[in-house]
Amino acid sequence: MKIYCPYVGVLWKRRLIVLYKEIFRKSIHLCSALVPLALHFFYKTTIALLFAAAALYSVSQIMSLHGKKIPLISDITDMAARERDRGKFVLGPLTLVLGIACAALLWEGQAATAGILALAFGDGLASLAGKIFGNLHIPRTGGKTCAGSLMCLTAIFISSFLVLGRADAALALALCGMFVEVLPLKDFDNLLIPLLLGGLAQSFQ
């Protein structure tokens, strides 16, 4: 005889909602992998659009804190917001855009691409792997998991190798990216990963 437990059903429903939000949030991360292509063909325009997006997003968040909404932008932000972000200025999208823009301004083409892809795939896939397979947590990291860290290492190594063509450089970037991603930096890893890894990639050129 099967025994139905409403509490277990509620837990699974909450877990699915959290997973859906994480997939939606990280799909934005993964889409940032297209930015290097845009930079290659329309560098100045892409940089201008990135900063314009950061400014528009900031305005929408400030308005949201005062009970006002900007159509579409506010809807997307609400769909992607985590519980810890409720009623706060959500920094994730802002640090994502600024990290990409600053990496593009500071580093040369290949190096900037390596840093941006590390953010798109390394950080993006790490979070999804952690939510789906992350039963083993790393102490004092704010909930980071071994599965997420291994996914981050693998994703950054592959993307960096494809860009730089050097296994030693790709491994160095992957180890550095995994270390930054595992730190309890919340949304500020979006800034550090493309900047630090882009600079490291440039040192190998």
Side-chain angles (χ1 to χ4, degrees):
M1 182 178 68
K2 294 183 179 180
I3 300 176
Y4 175 71
C5 178
Y7 181 69
V8 174
V10 170
L11 285 179
W12 271 104
K13 186 175 181 180
R14 288 180 179 176
R15 185 172 181 181
L16 287 173
I17 291 173
V18 170
L19 180 59
Y20 169 77
K21 283 183 173 289
E22 198 65 21
I23 291 173
F24 184 79
R25 286 192 327 107
K26 293 308 176 180
S27 66
I28 300 173
H29 261 71
L30 295 173
C31 286
S32 64
L34 298 174
V35 174
L37 185 63
L39 287 167
H40 179 74
F41 291 103
F42 312 104
Y43 180 82
K44 292 183 178 179
T45 301
T46 303
I47 293 293
L49 288 174
L50 287 171
F51 281 109
L56 181 60
Y57 175 79
S58 298
V59 170
S60 75
Q61 282 294 285
I62 293 171
M63 290 178 63
S64 180
L65 292 175
H66 289 83
K68 299 178 181 179
K69 302 286 187 179
I70 294 181
L72 186 61
I73 297 176
S74 297
D75 293 336
I76 292 174
T77 303
D78 290 342
M79 288 177 64
R82 294 165 292 195
E83 288 300 321
R84 77 184 192 200
D85 296 325
R86 296 295 179 184
K88 300 178 182 177
F89 190 109
V90 184
L91 284 172
L94 180 61
T95 54
L96 175 74
V97 172
L98 291 179
I100 292 171
C102 290
L105 288 171
L106 287 173
W107 312 125
E108 297 174 2
Q110 272 193 330
T113 297
I116 294 169
L117 294 185
L119 176 62
F121 296 117
D123 186 50
L125 295 178
S127 183
L128 291 178
K131 285 290 186 297
I132 299 172
F133 307 108
N135 294 321
L136 185 58
H137 289 77
I138 303 172
R140 299 181 182 181
T141 60
K144 300 299 177 68
T145 65
C146 292
S149 294
L150 289 175
M151 177 60 76
C152 181
L153 179 75
T154 303
I156 294 178
F157 178 83
I158 293 173
S159 64
S160 298
F161 181 75
L162 291 175
V163 173
L164 303 174
R166 292 180 54 176
D168 57 341
L171 181 59
L173 264 68
L175 290 171
C176 180
M178 183 182 67
F179 176 75
V180 173
E181 195 277 332
V182 83
L183 295 175
L185 299 172
K186 295 186 177 179
D187 293 315
F188 289 99
D189 57 354
N190 291 341
L191 278 172
L192 289 178
I193 288 176
L195 288 175
L196 289 178
L197 270 62
L200 183 59
Q202 189 150 313
S203 71
F204 280 99
Q205 294 182 349

